[in-house]
Amino acid sequence: MEGRVTYVECPRDAWQGFARTIPTEEKAAFLRRLLEAGFDHLDLASFVSPKWVPQMADSEEVLRLLPPPGGRDYLAIVANERGMGRALVARNLTSVGYPFSISETFQRKNTRRSVADSWSLVERMLELARSDGLELVIYVSMGYGNPYGDPWSPDQVVDFVGRLRELGVRRIAIADTYGVAGPERVHEVLAAVAAAHGTVGLGAHLHSRPDPDEVRAKVDAVLDAGVRWLEGALGGIGGCPFAGDELVGNLPTEVVLPYLAGLGFEVGVDVGTLDRLSAEANRLRVQYAG
């Protein structure tokens, strides 16, 4: 065996842009089916303003309807201290994720906060998370480049991750928010970060067109850099509006996990259930995406 891969299934990322609200119980039922299939890391909620993401307004109730984590990881995204406050009192939550962009332009667009101000916020959130037994996960947004002309380089990513490590952040995922990074760029960035800071607690959140060869090439780029934490969503659902290509979405789980299993990695999920779960994910998309 090649060892274990940490795979994060991201229904929150898949659902948040749907035009129509999925009923709370229907969300929870789908999440329970994921747990039954063996998924043990779920990005399933967010504590942000319902004005901006109405689909996630019921996150507390969805979490309440799930079984206790029991060693599994239930993650919710937060964008500020108000969201962190909701996370601290939410039932069953184990991790909070904060999108922290290298791009100044995107950080202001996404969180209405500058990069400089975000550093102090990360310190406060890290302290709050530790006090409540939660893990803080940082998603380094625009980690492979940006469309705004803001400064970017692999060395900048290395320095950014280094500063997060110095603060004590243990889990950091480099995100292709722009959705256009090819396998070469993915490998270049991850290998540089791994060489400087190691691969423990280092992950990749990527996007791709629904081409199995392209998906597998990006997975290979991650693995070749020594990284063993990947993320995706059943059906590849979860658009990447910054890519300018409506076909670009999350890595499709039903392609990634069988590929990893075929390479000899332990994935922890019953791959025989993936076609059925992907069909269910696509049914939700058709019914609620609008």
Side-chain angles (χ1 to χ4, degrees):
M1 297 292 291
E2 291 286 347
R4 173 81 185 216
V5 170
T6 296
Y7 190 79
V8 181
E9 177 66 20
C10 302
R12 185 272 317 166
D13 200 355
W15 294 339
Q16 65 182 5
F18 287 5
R20 298 178 57 215
T21 300
I22 305 171
T24 301
E25 179 53 51
E26 195 165 0
K27 290 177 185 174
F30 180 78
L31 294 171
R32 288 193 293 266
R33 286 192 284 274
L34 294 180
L35 296 172
E36 291 166 2
F39 287 95
D40 56 8
H41 286 73
L42 296 178
D43 173 354
L44 51 79
S46 68
F47 297 118
V48 298
S49 171
K51 175 182 176 181
W52 300 112
V53 189
Q55 186 69 246
M56 295 289 111
D58 61 351
S59 288
E60 286 94 342
E61 181 64 12
V62 170
L63 280 159
R64 189 189 67 79
L65 292 173
L66 297 182
R72 295 172 296 212
D73 188 31
Y74 297 170
L75 179 143
I77 295 294
V78 300
N80 50 40
E81 286 183 282
R82 179 177 296 180
M84 191 70 185
R86 289 174 62 190
L88 293 174
V89 297
R91 182 174 175 179
N92 287 327
L93 194 67
T94 59
S95 297
V96 290
Y98 178 67
F100 193 1
S101 179
I102 286 179
S103 161
E104 180 73 32
T105 302
F106 185 67
Q107 188 65 12
R108 290 182 181 275
K109 286 177 176 288
N110 198 38
T111 67
R112 300 190 172 190
R113 187 184 298 266
S114 70
V115 171
D117 288 343
S118 294
W119 282 111
S120 58
L121 175 63
V122 168
E123 290 187 61
R124 293 196 295 274
M125 290 198 300
L126 187 60
E127 181 179 352
L128 288 169
R130 285 173 171 166
S131 70
D132 201 57
L134 297 174
E135 185 83 17
L136 178 65
V137 181
I138 297 295
Y139 286 90
V140 180
S141 304
M142 297 290 175
Y144 303 89
N146 65 80
Y148 309 113
D150 290 347
W152 178 89
S153 70
D155 287 342
Q156 187 179 356
V157 182
V158 170
D159 292 344
F160 204 85
V161 172
R163 185 169 175 181
L164 290 169
R165 292 291 192 217
E166 289 174 0
L167 290 178
V169 180
R170 297 189 297 180
R171 291 164 58 192
I172 302 168
I174 314 299
D176 180 22
T177 321
Y178 190 21
V180 296
E184 298 81 8
R185 173 66 61 86
V186 170
H187 182 270
E188 177 188 23
V189 172
L190 293 177
V193 174
H197 305 297
T199 58
V200 175
L202 179 63
H205 183 101
L206 307 176
H207 294 95
S208 175
R209 290 174 65 87
D211 174 356
D213 289 337
E214 179 180 328
V215 172
R216 288 189 285 262
K218 291 186 177 183
V219 171
D220 285 340
V222 174
L223 298 176
D224 289 346
V227 174
R228 298 294 183 266
W229 160 12
L230 296 103
E231 305 200 343
L234 288 155
I237 300 170
C240 187
F242 312 101
D245 184 343
E246 63 181 13
L247 293 179
V248 173
N250 281 302
L251 296 185
T253 300
E254 66 274 16
V255 174
V256 175
L257 289 188
Y259 181 59
L260 290 171
L263 292 175
F265 288 97
E266 180 186 350
V267 298
V269 174
D270 180 1
V271 295
T273 66
L274 294 179
D275 286 345
R276 173 177 56 81
L277 290 171
S278 179
E280 176 64 10
N282 276 294
R283 182 194 66 79
L284 293 172
R285 177 184 59 80
V286 170
Q287 185 170 357
Y288 295 107

